[in-house]
Amino acid sequence: MSKSARARTQRNRDGQEPKIHLGELDNHLGYFVRRLQHWIFRDVNAALAPLALDVILYSILETIAANQGAAQIAIAGRLGIERARMVALLDELQQAGLIVRERSEQDRRAHALGLTPRGRMILKKANVAVAAHEKRVARRLGADNYRRARAALAQFETD
Amino acid sequence: MSKSARARTQRNRDGQEPKIHLGELDNHLGYFVRRLQHWIFRDVNAALAPLALDVILYSILETIAANQGAAQIAIAGRLGIERARMVALLDELQQAGLIVRERSEQDRRAHALGLTPRGRMILKKANVAVAAHEKRVARRLGADNYRRARAALAQFETD
DNA sequence: TATTGTTATACTCTATAACTATA
DNA sequence: TATAGTTATAGAGTATAACAATA
């Protein structure tokens, strides 16, 4: 190993950690997206924890609310959740008394999903918590950056 | 269930799936970030697969290259990887002959990480593949959106 | 006492395949 | 034959705790 390389394993003179550079990663949107996503994920989950929800359960509740009577596979497909995994997530929401699964009259293979009164009440509280989280994201990112990022990313459509 | 709710479990007249709305999710940066991150993750991993790498192994290689001689914990900390998980990832890179772990002369607990000649060669090819991926992201997002998103997100600093 | 690398464990997430009841 | 929901399983990712060597 070169002398300069060896030097980087040491602490600096002032006792600080040596600064780690990112190389090409600094030019890749994917790195920044992953870093932001990680922070957002933890912050929003902390915000939802008092309601016994996480961001996935919340997203399912909100999507059911916006599409009363939709089938499991439709909600799962829109949110990018495997239908096999959806089963356990809906079991959880149902056991918590937040949703109902009724057999669809049009297609008796399908379950028509809906919120219970309690589900609507919890969702309302969740939306308050998530709005507060969203403000933290905006403050953290800076108001202008937040607006620009949201505008830019909102136009991305998955296959 | 109401008649309108019941209607949404059906296909439309033209046989198309009924459109699923996102409700409040449409106002949350986190939803867009997650969606983009998912697409990027799959695309970059497909780009790196021919080199027997994924985006995590690539990120480690690139960061080692930019910080020759750094310790495992320093690289792991910068990339947000648990040091326990780092062990298996470095095992993989070492078995593939891409990196070396030398005992640090300054701190004999630590491993000084470095790339082998083969590691440098593979990393060079990986950076070509990732640059092509980055162009796909930019095209998919639109050149302006891509620039705005990168500029906005680059300023986000994790704790 | 604290830290680096390591091992082990448990939990979650993802991806598949197969089964049932319906279409 | 194909689809919606379900069950089961294997692999990957994440989070912890504990240990040996070293600081």
Side-chain angles (χ1 to χ4, degrees), chain A residues 1 9-10 20-21 24 27-29 35 58 62 67 69 78 102 106 134 140 150 156-158, chain B residues 1 9 20-21 24 27-29 35 58 62 67 69 78 102 106 134 140 150 156-158:
Chain A
M1 201 191 308
T9 62
Q10 301 182 276
I20 300 293
H21 304 100
E24 276 298 310
N27 299 322
H28 296 156
L29 181 58
R35 196 169 60 175
Y58 160 76
E62 178 63 27
N67 306 273
R78 191 69 171 93
E102 296 177 0
Q106 280 71 41
E134 201 67 16
R140 186 75 180 244
R150 219 178 88 173
F156 182 84
E157 277 295 326
T158 320
Chain B
M1 199 193 307
T9 60
I20 300 293
H21 304 100
E24 275 299 307
N27 299 322
H28 297 156
L29 181 58
R35 196 168 61 175
Y58 160 75
E62 178 65 25
N67 305 273
R78 191 69 170 94
E102 297 177 0
Q106 280 71 39
E134 202 66 16
R140 186 74 180 245
R150 219 179 87 174
F156 183 85
E157 276 295 328
T158 320

Side-chain angles (χ1 to χ4, degrees), chain B residues 47 51 66-67 94 114-115 151:
Chain B
L51 298 169
N67 305 273
Q94 193 171 21
L115 295 188

Side-chain angles (χ1 to χ4, degrees), chain A residues 1 5-6 8-10 19-25 27-37 39-40 42 58-59 62-63 66-70 74-75 78-81 102 104-106 112 127 130 134 137 140-141 145-146 148-159, chain B residues 1 5-6 8-10 19-25 27-37 39-40 42 58-59 62-63 66-70 74-75 78-81 102 104-106 112 127 130 134 137 140-141 145-146 148-159:
Chain A
M1 201 191 308
R6 202 160 46 228
R8 293 194 197 93
T9 62
Q10 301 182 276
K19 189 175 179 181
I20 300 293
H21 304 100
L22 291 170
E24 276 298 310
L25 269 44
N27 299 322
H28 296 156
L29 181 58
Y31 175 74
F32 300 127
V33 168
R34 175 175 174 271
R35 196 169 60 175
L36 177 59
Q37 210 266 329
W39 189 89
I40 286 179
R42 278 188 311 165
Y58 160 76
S59 299
E62 178 63 27
T63 310
N67 306 273
Q68 286 280 340
I75 303 290
R78 191 69 171 93
L79 294 176
I81 302 169
E102 296 177 0
S104 165
E105 297 172 17
Q106 280 71 41
N127 271 320
V130 172
E134 201 67 16
V137 176
R140 186 75 180 244
L141 209 47
N145 283 332
Y146 173 80
R148 286 185 201 115
R150 219 178 88 173
L153 267 51
Q155 291 176 48
F156 182 84
E157 277 295 326
T158 320
D159 310 306
Chain B
M1 199 193 307
R6 202 161 45 231
R8 292 194 197 93
T9 60
Q10 302 182 276
K19 191 175 179 181
I20 300 293
H21 304 100
L22 292 168
E24 275 299 307
L25 270 44
N27 299 322
H28 297 156
L29 181 58
Y31 174 73
F32 300 127
V33 168
R34 176 175 172 270
R35 196 168 61 175
L36 177 58
Q37 210 265 332
W39 189 89
I40 285 178
R42 277 187 312 163
Y58 160 75
S59 299
E62 178 65 25
T63 309
N67 305 273
Q68 286 279 341
I75 302 289
R78 191 69 170 94
L79 294 177
I81 301 168
E102 297 177 0
S104 166
E105 297 172 17
Q106 280 71 39
N127 270 321
V130 173
E134 202 66 16
V137 176
R140 186 74 180 245
L141 209 49
N145 283 332
Y146 173 79
R148 287 185 199 117
R150 219 179 87 174
L153 267 50
Q155 290 176 48
F156 183 85
E157 276 295 328
T158 320
D159 311 305

Side-chain angles (χ1 to χ4, degrees), chain B residues 47-59:
Chain B
L48 290 169
L51 298 169
L53 291 176
D54 61 23
V55 70
I56 300 177
L57 295 174
Y58 160 75
S59 299

